[in-house]
Amino acid sequence: MIETRGLRKSFVSRQGRDKKTVEAVRGVDLTVAEGEIFGFLGPNGAGKTTTLRMLATLIVPDDGTATIAGADLRADPGEVRRRIGYVAQGGSTWDDSTAREELVLQSRLYGASKSDALARAERVLEGFQLTEYADRKCKTYSGGQRRRVDIALGIIHEPRVVFLDEPTTGLDPQSRAHMWDEIRRLRAEGMTVFITTHYLDEADALCDRISIMDNGEIVASGTPAELKREISGDVVRVGLPVDAVQPAAQALTSYKLETYEDNVRLYVEDGAVAIPQILRALDAAGVPLGTVELHRPSLDDVFLTKTGRSLRES
Amino acid sequence: MKLLHDTSLIFNRQMQLLLRNPVWILVGVFQPVMYLLLFAPLLKPALQVPTNAEAYEIFVPGLLVLLAIFGGLFQGFGLIAELRAGVIERSRVTPVSRLALLLGRSLRDVVSLIAQAVIITLLALVFDLRVFVPNLLLAYLMLALISLMTSAVSYGVALVVKSEDALAPLMNTVAQPVLLLSGILLPLTYAPGWLQGVADWNPFSWAVNGTRALFRGDLGSPDVWQGLLIMAVLAVLAVGWAAREFARSVR
Ligand SMILES: Nc1ncnc2c1ncn2[C@@H]1O[C@H](COP(=O)(O)OP(=O)(O)OP(=O)(O)O)[C@@H](O)[C@H]1O
Ligand SMILES: [Mg+2]
């Protein structure tokens, strides 16, 4: 449904007389299948929005090609526009308009007749549980309500592909869960959904497949389960008093390890074998122990092994 | 026709939002009305014309052109607010005509300007101004062309600079000399030769002369068609340029 090869974009930013080139996206290859929820996971500044804006015809790539829902991005951006929906990271509603007005206008911009647009607006308002607020000005909505209006605007013309840039950022846990349900409903209706996120649990729970992006490049792609399986072995998490983290790290230099505020995480072949050895090493160094946990790698661990940094901390 | 259809969609939305707060139209005429009430009485002696009516024939057209220029040039601020809210980006991913995105907005500006011009004309009638309706309609056409051009320029510049902080000084810098060199408030009849020479290069000075001729009842004056022609050409150029800025990638 989406196929990109070597997409690139750099920005020149001027600070006084200095020109600085930021390579925001450096060669992105993607394949997104029809009817899946595809996730773009990456820290701030990874290039997620820039990639989406290129695919949504808002900025022209410096290099590379893409086909979206059968239309060629470079040769026929107009056709791409007709086939996609796009919901920007920063929202898209006007304070003094009502949700219904925005939806009707949006639908008509895609060519719907007046009566058709009204019917569509009614339908999506219902679908997104917005009927109650439909005729109030957008500035009176809560963050979650406003985000739902944004998404309703992005799908009112029933596109084959919809791009959602951080649909759940800034929402409370309950609204996020609701939003996940909405997004799954879009998939159930046959849409291909492309979302960006920097929440690990979101990528894990919601997405059929993900690509992890860092620094303008895709560092890993697959289903969440595949990616986690790629990291062989187990993660041992040792909880420690805060001032014992450094000594513990020194005692365990022979392991692949990551330190956190009140714990260290070790990546080992076989947890059951490694735990006694770890305990012995810590004991020998006189490090007081808190807790020891053994778990399967998370997406954060995937990110860590691919980039050398933790997504939680970047 | 798609352009017409899309333009009317954008125009209707903009009008709807404008009419939701019609007080802005009144705020816009407040300043010119003050000029009309407090400044114009000084004109009869200053311009050495025999009647108030004649003084207003000279002053009111200038005032209206002034309103058209400034009203248009500051429309870009609204667009920057829309850019920030993401409304423009949302329009740009739809297949809507880019020219319609501009025209729908500029036409709203033209309509609100004409509404203001009508208010001022009616007030001036109270002060003995007399003008033939056909001439008045042609004068409104001139004003419409001016405001179409200045608002398009303002939108184009707003799309390029994308910030109020840059737009305000830029528009002021353009507007001040244009204003002073057009004989808008006082005709340049008594100006020294060099000043008149400079004013000849100011398109708005032609527009003012044309509008004055219309208010004078001098429909046959070459000032009329020259002013209209110059404004029409500039309006087309400005609209073409600004529409291209809408089509280009924003940000
Ligand atoms: N118009 C621009 N001019 C200059 N630099 C830009 C521009 N747009 C993006 N960038 C830079 O490109 C890089 C990627 O930005 P992008 O917005 O794509 O990141 P992101 O992954 O969406 O991040 P976030 O999670 O914060 O939204 C950043 O370093 C950013 O500063
Ligand atoms: Mg982003």
Side-chain angles (χ1 to χ4, degrees), chain A residues 11 13 22 24 43-50 89 166 198, chain B residues 251:
Chain A
F11 294 105
S13 58
V22 183
N44 288 137
K48 305 183 294 294
T49 298
T50 307
Q89 185 171 354
E166 302 199 6
H198 48 237
Chain B
R251 195 171 96 160

Side-chain angles (χ1 to χ4, degrees), chain A residues 174-212:
Chain A
Q174 201 192 344
S175 315
R176 275 180 76 202
H178 273 298
M179 190 62 86
W180 289 2
D181 289 340
E182 313 281 9
I183 293 171
R184 291 191 182 109
R185 186 167 57 83
L186 298 181
R187 174 181 58 190
E189 285 169 11
M191 259 175 239
T192 305
V193 186
F194 190 143
I195 74 165
T196 74
T197 180
H198 48 237
Y199 296 118
L200 296 154
D201 57 338
E202 182 160 292
D204 212 343
L206 181 61
C207 299
D208 299 315
R209 278 185 339 110
I210 60 177
S211 277
I212 298 181

Side-chain angles (χ1 to χ4, degrees), chain B residues 8-91:
Chain B
S8 81
L9 284 178
I10 303 289
F11 173 78
N12 286 338
R13 168 197 171 89
Q14 297 294 337
M15 279 313 285
Q16 193 181 25
L17 290 171
L18 179 70
L19 293 176
R20 200 160 289 173
N21 281 311
V23 67
W24 289 113
I25 296 190
L26 296 179
V27 170
V29 286
F30 181 75
Q31 206 178 3
V33 165
M34 285 297 119
Y35 269 82
L36 201 62
L37 296 182
L38 305 178
F39 186 69
L42 312 176
L43 286 174
K44 194 178 83 161
L47 294 171
Q48 297 174 338
V49 288
T51 61
N52 259 332
E54 259 176 86
Y56 277 86
E57 262 168 29
I58 295 172
F59 182 66
V60 171
L63 196 63
L64 292 175
V65 170
L66 176 78
L67 188 66
I69 295 175
F70 273 80
L73 282 183
F74 286 87
Q75 296 295 347
F77 288 100
L79 187 68
I80 288 175
E82 288 191 281
L83 274 175
R84 199 157 288 150
V87 175
I88 303 298
E89 181 147 306
R90 189 182 97 208
S91 319

